Every structure is written in structure tokens, then in C-alpha cells.
Amino acid sequence: MSTVWNDSTPIYRQLRDRVVAMILDGVLKQGDPLPSVRQVAGDFQINPITVSKAYQELVDDNLVEKRRGLGMYVSDGARDALLKSERERFLTEEWPALHARLARLGLSLEQLSDAARAGEKS
């Protein structure tokens, strides 16, 4: 995880979003342990309460489970649940604006595919 925090979003939220990204990217798989609150707080020089708040949001969203005396672990099905919710959020919140911008610029899906293939080659 990167240690650069932006000022526009609370750090606990940024930390939560980074863990979510790690689950989506497959860096953290179901059953994997999360680093301890103390370790994350020390590594990133942030308050342990901030880390706890981020982890609690993950628990509340059923993405992480607490195992008493053992720590926090990625829940079974967390990646699938995240994919479903992130896809839904993208289609309802991000895609309409992106689609409108593509239309304004006169870009077709074929042009986007060509640009993506060119980017993969470089």
C-alpha cells in the first residue's frame, strides 16, 4: 500500500478503499489475514483508531471477519460481493458521465478498443 494520503477524503476511508482494491486485485484472497491494526498504524504513521475505523467498515460490509484472538481475515465471497457492488456503482454513477463525454468527443467503442490495444503493446 502506498503511504500518500490525499486531503479531500478521511484517511480511514482511503485505507478502507485500499484494502478493497487489494481484494479486487487478488492481492488479498478470501481467508487471508489483514495486517494488525498496530502494524498498519506503525507502518503508515497513523493513529490506531483510524486503522480500527477502516477495518470496522470492512467488517460492517461483511468483507472482513474478526476472529477473536487471531485478527481480521478476508471473508469468504468478499471479492465476488465487491465485484458485484463495484460494477453496479460504475454502471449507475460513473458510466453515464463517461458515456456522455465519449459522445461529446465523438469516440466510438472501436476507437477505444484500438487505443487500449496500442497501450498494451507499449
Side-chain angles (χ1 to χ4, degrees), residues 1-72:
M1 283 191 262
S2 153
T3 58
V4 178
W5 306 107
N6 73 53
D7 293 335
S8 63
T9 307
I11 291 174
Y12 80 90
R13 189 68 186 180
Q14 293 175 61
L15 181 59
R16 179 219 178 266
D17 291 347
R18 289 175 188 191
V19 174
V20 164
M22 291 173 73
I23 293 170
L24 285 170
D25 293 342
V27 175
L28 288 173
K29 296 172 180 36
Q30 66 183 31
D32 283 354
L34 269 59
S36 71
V37 168
R38 188 176 301 168
Q39 180 182 349
V40 173
D43 288 351
F44 297 121
Q45 298 297 299
I46 57 177
N47 191 313
I49 295 171
T50 300
V51 180
S52 293
K53 189 169 183 177
Y55 279 11
Q56 187 58 51
E57 281 203 355
L58 294 165
V59 170
D60 293 345
D61 292 340
N62 296 315
L63 301 173
V64 169
E65 61 185 358
K66 291 180 185 178
R67 296 184 187 165
R68 190 174 184 98
L70 298 174
M72 303 275 200

Side-chain angles (χ1 to χ4, degrees), residues 94-106:
E94 294 179 40
W95 176 246
L98 182 58
H99 184 263
R101 179 144 192 234
L102 292 171
R104 276 193 306 276
L105 296 173

